[in-house]
Amino acid sequence: DADMLAMVRARVAKKDPDAIKFLGDQFYGGNLGLGKDVPRAMELCTQAAKLGSIDAQYSLGIRYCRGEEVSEDMAQSVRYFEMTA
């Protein structure tokens, strides 16, 4: 886990949107020895979405639509779904 985490963090430092989304997912689930940290996960997912990660944009659209770990916000949900188009 430590080697994988080091590799991911190196890619995150280079603003790799897929690595940023992956790291966010790890914080969301408390994986790779990281404690569960939903605010950090959302921050990373949002950063990845802004950098063009369609997976992050879709995930945020779902989370805001369903109110998963965030307040339900249909306007935000639509915004992120539109980014995937």
Side-chain angles (χ1 to χ4, degrees):
D1 287 352
D3 289 339
M4 170 71 107
L5 191 54
M7 181 182 72
V8 170
R9 287 185 188 271
R11 289 178 54 199
V12 166
K14 294 179 181 178
K15 304 290 186 210
D16 179 330
D18 294 327
I20 294 168
K21 169 65 167 72
F22 179 82
L23 185 59
D25 289 345
Q26 302 320 297
F27 275 111
Y28 192 79
N31 303 318
L32 291 180
L34 300 169
K36 184 170 180 162
D37 186 343
V38 174
R40 180 71 175 131
M42 292 297 292
E43 178 184 320
L44 289 164
C45 196
T46 301
Q47 181 182 1
K50 288 178 181 177
L51 291 171
S53 169
I54 293 172
D55 189 30
Q57 294 162 353
Y58 180 78
S59 291
L60 288 168
I62 291 291
R63 288 182 185 159
Y64 280 107
C65 180
R66 295 180 181 166
E68 293 178 358
E69 305 287 354
V70 295
S71 297
E72 186 176 306
D73 185 335
M74 293 309 289
Q76 279 285 75
S77 177
V78 168
R79 186 175 137 242
Y80 282 112
F81 284 137
E82 286 178 341
M83 291 172 85
T84 67

